């Protein structure tokens, strides 16, 4: 595909950003996630760390008390990830918000690479790369890692042509003012949120230099549950985003979306 890739410059001074970490009963991963957060190459006074832990009934919140730089948003009632994000965003007042999960680890330069993409005023959302690390005992789901390499290549090409088509919740970012509250029953919050931003005239930049690493599903049963949820969410999304099927309104992006 003979289209020049974007090469935006890192803004100076660096803007403030919020890393929003969604977690439910993640006591076992808090320590390693916080080590990862502290290793990120971004000024500590410019990066706010916010965990939203709604419904957690293990020791996640107790573990987070050990980290004074963390803001914890918690309510006892568990209403799902989409409802948690809707509840968290009013507390975010930085110009950029970066979404990630507690069980994914980011590369050291991820935040800077994401912020770099926002130097283009047309970019409303930045999709990071998802990488799946397969352990020996997870051979049943080894194909997941291969699939995401293929998916990443497609997203890179889409971004060069016009816009990536959606973002993965493991790592993506938006301009704070573009956040739209989503119905609480939304299954694929990352996909719906990112494409609503495209519908407002912005593009999604794909940034392979910012990536999140997670382990594959523990077994085929867990993988089946995940796939069922994704399939159901895909059908829900096609209906809720049906306006994108109109090429007279969305032009090249409609072609990409239908493809």
């Amino acid at each position: 595909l003979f289209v020049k890739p974007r090469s935006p410059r890192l803004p100076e001074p660096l803007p403030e950003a919020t890393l929003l970490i969604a977690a439910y009963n993640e006591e076992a991963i808090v320590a390693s996630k916080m080590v990862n957060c502290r290793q990120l190459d971004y000024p500590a006074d410019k990066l706010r760390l916010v965990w939203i832990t709604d419904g957690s009934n293990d020791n996640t919140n107790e573990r987070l008390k050990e980290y004074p730089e963390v803001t914890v948003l918690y309510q006892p009632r568990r209403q799902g990830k989409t409802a948690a994000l809707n509840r968290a965003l009013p507390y975010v007042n930085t110009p950029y918000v970066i979404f990630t999960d507690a069980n994914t680890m980011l590369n050291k330069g991820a935040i800077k690479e994401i912020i770099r993409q926002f130097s283009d005023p047309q970019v409303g959302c930045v999709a990071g790369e998802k990488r799946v690390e397969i352990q020996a005992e997870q051979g049943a789901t080894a194909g997941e890692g291969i699939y995401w390499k293929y998916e990443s290549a497609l997203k890179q090409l889409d971004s060069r042509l016009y816009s990536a088509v959606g973002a993965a919740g493991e790592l993506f970012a938006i301009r704070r003012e573009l956040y739209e509250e989503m119905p609480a029953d939304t299954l694929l919050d990352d996909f719906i949120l990112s494409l609503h931003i495209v519908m407002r005239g912005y593009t999604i930049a794909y940034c392979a230099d910012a990536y999140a690493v997670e382990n594959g599903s523990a077994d085929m049963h867990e993988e089946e549950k995940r796939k069922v949820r994704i399939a159901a969410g895909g059908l829900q999304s096609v209906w809720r985003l049906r306006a994108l099927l109109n090429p007279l309104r969305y032009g090249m992006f409609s072609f990409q979306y239908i493809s």
Side-chain angles (χ1 to χ4, degrees), residues 59-78:
N59 290 318
T60 297
N61 294 324
E62 290 300 312
R63 299 279 171 84
L64 287 170
K65 288 179 180 178
E66 300 172 19
Y67 304 94
E69 70 268 38
V70 169
T71 297
V72 177
L73 302 176
Y74 168 75
Q75 68 171 16
R77 186 181 179 190
R78 185 186 183 194

Side-chain angles (χ1 to χ4, degrees), residues 232-245:
L235 292 172
Q236 180 192 66
S237 300
V238 168
W239 174 250
R240 292 186 177 180
L241 298 169
R242 59 192 180 277
L244 287 173
L245 299 173

Side-chain angles (χ1 to χ4, degrees), residues 176-196:
R176 169 62 186 88
E177 73 269 18
L178 298 181
Y179 185 84
E180 293 183 12
E181 187 167 312
M182 295 171 284
D185 65 346
T186 300
L187 295 173
L188 301 183
D189 53 274
D190 45 9
F191 191 65
I192 291 286
L193 175 56
S194 58
L195 290 196
H196 274 171

